[in-house]
Amino acid sequence: MARGVILPSQTSTQTLLFAIPKIPLTTWKLPFMSRQVSCKCSSTQAPVVAVDMAKYKEAFSRRMAMAGLKPHHRVAIGVSGGPDSMALCVLTAHWKAQDFDAKCDSGGFIDGLLAIIVDHGLRAESKEEANTVSNRVSKMGIRSHIACCDWPDGHPKQGHLQEAARDMRYEIFQKICIQNRIGVLLIAHHADDQAELFVLRLSRNSGVLGLAGMPFTSQIFSTHTHSYAEVSGNYGILVVRPLLDLSKEDMYEICERSNQVWVEDPTNQSLLYARNRIRMSLRDSSSSAFKLELQAVISACRKTRIYIDYICSNLISKAVTVMDLGYAVIDLEILNESKIEDICLSKFIAVVLKFISQRHRPIRGSTSKLLLDYTHTLPCKTSLTAAGCYLSPAPGSRGMKALVCSSVDCPLPSKMESSHLHFQAEQENCTSDEIEKIIADGKSYADSLIPDASDVHFLEGTSESVLTGARNLGMLSESTLSNILLLQKEEIQNFKSKSKVAADYKSEHGVKSVSTSRSEPLHPGQICCFMNRFFVTWKLSEEVTENATSEEANCDGVSERQSRGCCRSCVFGHEMMVEVRNMTEPDWLYLANLSKSRTSENFQEQRHSLDSRVEQTEEKTNGCLDYARLSAQRALVSLKSIPLAARRGLPVLVNSQGLLLSIPSIGFRHCPCLMVSATFKPKVPLGGGHSSFI
């Protein structure tokens, strides 16, 4: 919450049109269905209010339907208390009230609707402001949740405040939505926000994909996992921006017509932030014609992006095979036969690499060109490392296919490193199925709007080509183009002047990173999210499972008595803790030597030769040796079918002394009492999840 000035409505009325009291549904619903019931305006004013609000309500309902949403769906709203989010609350409350089957909860609030208010805690008065906003939305019949930010590394520096606050805000949104089994989050971005983002990205030399702005709907996936239920559900929140067709003036109009008060954030006047500078420049120089022309260009960029995403999606389904061991194979022959535009091909390869690496950062410049040239080369004969991935010719393909593996030599950001979770019972949760249905309904509408190639004008992709093309097509007048170029030039200069400050900050504080080969301690019953791609867990069983003894022991000549003779001390000692790291070449050699050992004595000698730091185990170890040998033999057979580069990305469990305990992806276990699993389940799916730019 930001410090702000309360702006009351200009219309003096005692009864608020959308101030819904905590009374039964049939009572608070009436003002929405009959707009003149609660209005005490004069007879000449009332029709104007009804007509104006009807326009906004109908537009809002139409956009929600386009997203696949219906009033009975459970939704959350990100609320700051400004005119944008308060207008969104007004329209959402009315939209919800259209459902005559809707119910109130025990407190008289609209069921299935939650306002999330984030108190960033950056000022002393922020708590009081959050409570004020909560009271306001409560009067509309909307239950609220105030969430306070926890800054473990201290408050962010001034120059990075907005970015850090945004990241924290969305993390909180996701967490609260998951806790309340809500899968849809409404955000109050509008057309003026899109215009600001267009100029901002233009000044950063973004191409047509960036200039398309914020999507109408998109899925976001948390980088932090808090429970096992989230692991199994791969929980992604659907973000919907239903106000993108409305302007800032519309936000004020909606609040005034519904007698809502709001706060104006004084930090929005600070020229320290790029968005504020651009907003003020647009406000000073924008005419109606300028705004209309700029929105027309943004719309054309969005249409281009819809087309590119459609081509990319089709190409993925035809040319990409994802293996459950964490790597992918691209059919280069299909890519070359498709003869698609370079911008589509660049997007395609970027999507695949981001999925495999789970490093969702833009791939630009020389890296993008390098990858594009690589996919054009047929047959493929070389290897390269780029964007957190290792690319090489797929074995046996004669260079007609490319192998894409995660590069274990590339560090991940610290906030993406392995996380440990405790098992807990899954709560009753139908949200995932509901979201899939919502996305499918929204996608069916979006698919009907996919343009033909002849209607797409900006496939060259660069910001310069977009502006030039828009002028040649008559979308931009010379005066509007000049103003846009002037805004771009001004912000480029501001950006350059602040680059040194940003560089100094990064040098001083650094971006912490961890190597994927680093070991992570893991206790029984915990889950390790390894490299954001594998969910690893383990425990010790008192009894060897029937499956283990019958399939792994008896069938290979190891008696059930021998299998059940093993104990925890054989490989774990008394620590009951393991570490997780990626597979290395010594692990392969260890398996090879272990598979050849025939006696306990030979095995002990080989252990010493492999790692002199490992102490002699107790005699009880001998009960597991035959089992470990046979398990290693089977694992080697499985490894032969996995490309060498892909093996390096497999998770491995070792004890504190470095002794190999298990490679779960290929079924190797040192002891039949060890129950371990590794599931390839990237947090962000291939393609980055659903998105729509309609």
Side-chain angles (χ1 to χ4, degrees):
M1 297 297 301
R3 183 177 182 178
V5 180
I6 299 176
L7 298 182
S9 168
Q10 294 177 358
T11 306
S12 59
T13 59
Q14 295 179 348
T15 305
L16 301 183
L17 183 61
F18 291 92
I20 309 170
K22 302 178 186 178
I23 53 181
L25 176 66
T26 53
T27 304
W28 60 252
K29 193 174 187 178
L30 287 175
F32 297 114
M33 308 311 297
S34 177
R35 283 178 290 274
Q36 297 182 8
V37 171
S38 298
C39 184
K40 294 188 178 181
C41 303
S42 65
S43 58
T44 57
Q45 292 175 320
V48 175
V49 174
V51 170
D52 285 346
M53 289 307 299
K55 174 186 68 175
Y56 292 124
K57 294 171 188 175
E58 291 168 4
F60 183 83
S61 295
R62 186 167 57 252
R63 295 292 283 184
M64 295 293 274
M66 289 166 60
L69 290 169
K70 296 179 176 58
H72 70 270
H73 286 137
R74 295 171 57 82
V75 298
I77 310 173
V79 180
S80 66
D84 309 343
S85 61
M86 295 304 290
L88 180 58
C89 286
V90 168
L91 295 175
T92 307
H94 170 265
W95 172 74
K96 269 283 191 180
Q98 290 178 329
D99 183 7
F100 284 98
D101 293 328
K103 300 178 181 178
C104 284
D105 60 20
S106 58
F109 294 105
I110 305 172
D111 192 30
L113 182 58
L114 177 69
I116 304 176
I117 303 165
V118 178
D119 174 12
H120 292 96
L122 300 176
R123 294 171 296 103
E125 60 270 27
S126 64
K127 182 177 180 179
E128 181 181 353
E129 292 167 2
N131 290 329
T132 299
V133 175
S134 177
N135 291 333
R136 290 173 185 167
V137 299
S138 295
K139 291 177 182 178
M140 286 188 268
I142 303 175
R143 180 177 294 279
S144 64
H145 181 114
I146 299 176
C148 300
C149 292
D150 179 24
W151 302 98
D153 298 325
H155 291 170
K157 297 296 182 180
Q158 187 68 24
H160 298 259
L161 183 61
Q162 286 190 330
E163 180 182 356
R166 178 192 179 280
D167 290 343
M168 178 69 76
R169 190 161 56 247
Y170 273 88
E171 182 183 334
I172 289 174
F173 285 158
Q174 289 174 297
K175 183 176 180 180
I176 294 175
C177 282
I178 291 171
Q179 290 173 347
N180 289 273
R181 294 186 293 116
I182 294 176
V184 179
L185 173 68
L186 304 185
I187 299 295
H189 291 130
H190 48 76
D192 288 25
D193 292 325
Q194 289 284 54
E196 295 165 12
L197 185 59
F198 180 90
V199 176
L200 177 64
R201 290 183 172 175
L202 196 66
S203 69
R204 307 299 191 262
N205 201 31
S206 291
V208 64
L209 298 179
L211 297 179
M214 293 172 283
F216 168 52
T217 62
S218 61
Q219 266 182 298
I220 55 175
F221 297 84
S222 178
T223 57
H224 303 273
T225 308
H226 303 280
S227 73
Y228 183 64
E230 297 171 51
V231 174
S232 60
N234 201 18
Y235 214 104
I237 303 299
L238 180 67
V239 176
V240 181
R241 299 176 174 88
L243 306 182
L244 287 180
D245 285 346
L246 303 180
S247 68
K248 185 72 171 185
E249 290 303 316
D250 291 323
M251 303 299 106
Y252 289 123
E253 184 78 6
I254 292 167
C255 289
E256 290 174 355
R257 293 299 184 183
S258 57
N259 291 335
Q260 293 299 323
V261 293
W262 65 88
V263 294
E264 292 285 2
D265 189 343
T267 62
N268 288 339
Q269 307 301 316
S270 172
L271 296 180
L272 178 65
Y273 305 111
R275 272 190 173 273
N276 295 348
R277 296 192 297 268
I278 294 170
R279 183 181 302 122
M280 293 179 186
S281 297
L282 285 171
R283 188 181 303 164
D284 294 340
S285 62
S286 296
S287 62
S288 296
F290 177 91
K291 291 180 179 179
L292 288 174
E293 291 178 18
L294 183 55
Q295 291 299 330
V297 177
I298 295 173
S299 179
C301 290
R302 293 167 75 82
K303 182 183 290 188
T304 302
R305 178 154 189 160
I306 291 173
Y307 173 80
I308 292 172
D309 284 350
Y310 172 74
I311 296 298
C312 183
S313 178
N314 284 345
L315 203 55
I316 287 174
S317 64
K318 294 177 182 178
V320 178
T321 303
V322 178
M323 306 298 183
D324 59 5
L325 292 174
Y327 64 96
V329 177
I330 299 176
D331 194 320
L332 299 177
E333 196 169 10
I334 292 179
L335 294 188
N336 282 268
E337 290 174 353
S338 63
K339 299 187 183 302
I340 63 172
E341 295 85 354
D342 280 353
I343 188 173
C344 298
L345 192 56
S346 292
K347 174 68 182 294
F348 162 82
I349 191 66
V351 165
V352 175
L353 266 60
K354 286 179 179 180
F355 169 71
I356 294 299
S357 70
Q358 287 292 295
R359 292 166 17 127
H360 291 264
R361 296 184 294 184
I363 299 176
R364 300 191 180 101
S366 59
T367 301
S368 180
K369 185 179 184 304
L370 179 67
L371 292 168
L372 189 62
D373 292 341
Y374 190 85
T375 56
H376 278 313
T377 305
L378 195 68
C380 170
K381 296 181 179 180
T382 60
S383 302
L384 65 88
T385 301
C389 289
Y390 176 78
L391 289 80
S392 63
S397 69
R398 297 184 178 181
M400 305 305 284
K401 296 181 179 180
L403 185 72
V404 184
C405 308
S406 178
S407 174
V408 297
D409 297 323
C410 293
L412 291 171
S414 58
K415 68 177 181 179
M416 301 289 281
E417 64 180 294
S418 301
S419 58
H420 295 155
L421 337 163
H422 288 281
F423 274 107
Q424 65 181 47
E426 290 192 43
Q427 300 175 349
E428 181 183 353
N429 187 3
C430 61
T431 307
S432 296
D433 293 338
E434 183 178 83
I435 293 303
E436 288 180 8
K437 180 64 167 58
I438 292 171
I439 290 175
D441 290 344
K443 190 174 185 301
S444 64
Y445 182 90
D447 287 347
S448 67
L449 301 179
I450 295 172
D452 295 329
S454 58
D455 295 329
V456 179
H457 305 294
F458 301 145
L459 288 176
E460 290 186 22
T462 65
S463 57
E464 182 180 357
S465 66
V466 168
L467 294 180
T468 302
R471 180 190 59 190
N472 295 339
L473 291 168
M475 294 181 190
L476 291 179
S477 63
E478 289 295 338
S479 61
T480 298
L481 178 59
S482 297
N483 285 337
I484 291 176
L485 292 175
L486 180 61
L487 290 171
Q488 179 190 24
K489 182 178 179 181
E490 290 176 352
E491 186 50 39
I492 287 175
Q493 292 301 320
N494 283 314
F495 178 66
K496 287 181 177 179
S497 66
K498 295 181 181 297
S499 294
K500 186 178 185 302
V501 176
D504 292 342
Y505 176 86
K506 188 172 183 179
S507 174
E508 177 185 353
H509 297 275
V511 178
K512 297 180 181 179
S513 61
V514 295
S515 172
T516 54
S517 61
R518 174 188 171 204
S519 298
E520 294 290 335
L522 185 66
H523 295 277
Q526 285 184 322
I527 301 171
C528 173
C529 179
F530 182 70
M531 294 172 63
N532 288 322
R533 300 154 69 238
F534 288 98
F535 287 96
V536 182
T537 186
W538 73 278
K539 64 179 181 179
L540 287 178
S541 176
E542 295 293 340
E543 291 286 335
V544 180
T545 63
E546 180 180 351
N547 182 62
T549 54
S550 62
E551 293 184 10
E552 297 179 344
N554 293 337
C555 292
D556 290 298
V558 181
S559 69
E560 184 175 349
R561 181 186 60 79
Q562 288 175 305
S563 298
R564 291 182 180 274
C566 62
C567 63
R568 296 185 178 186
S569 63
C570 64
V571 286
F572 291 93
H574 301 287
E575 297 173 348
M576 291 299 293
M577 183 183 70
V578 304
E579 296 178 350
V580 183
R581 58 166 172 79
N582 64 288
M583 187 175 178
T584 60
E585 190 64 24
D587 296 327
W588 167 276
L589 297 175
Y590 182 85
L591 290 179
N593 286 322
L594 178 58
S595 68
K596 298 174 184 177
S597 65
R598 295 296 178 183
T599 66
S600 301
E601 292 76 11
N602 289 339
F603 172 73
Q604 295 290 357
E605 291 175 2
Q606 290 175 22
R607 278 189 61 198
H608 283 292
S609 66
L610 288 172
D611 189 349
S612 59
R613 294 171 300 174
V614 179
E615 297 180 359
Q616 185 79 17
T617 59
E618 301 177 11
E619 291 182 1
K620 293 180 180 180
T621 302
N622 299 342
C624 290
L625 297 184
D626 288 333
Y627 178 89
R629 173 175 55 82
L630 295 171
S631 183
Q633 291 173 356
R634 285 188 295 269
L636 288 171
V637 174
S638 298
L639 277 175
K640 289 179 181 178
S641 64
I642 304 174
L644 179 61
R647 296 174 197 164
R648 299 187 64 203
L650 297 180
V652 165
L653 276 68
V654 299
N655 65 12
S656 60
Q657 297 170 319
L659 176 65
L660 179 63
L661 302 179
S662 175
I663 308 177
S665 300
I666 58 172
F668 172 71
R669 292 184 296 164
H670 212 296
C671 171
C673 291
L674 175 61
M675 303 292 106
V676 60
S677 68
T679 304
F680 176 61
K681 197 174 186 66
K683 289 190 176 182
V684 182
L686 182 60
H690 165 77
S691 64
S692 173
F693 282 82
I694 57 177

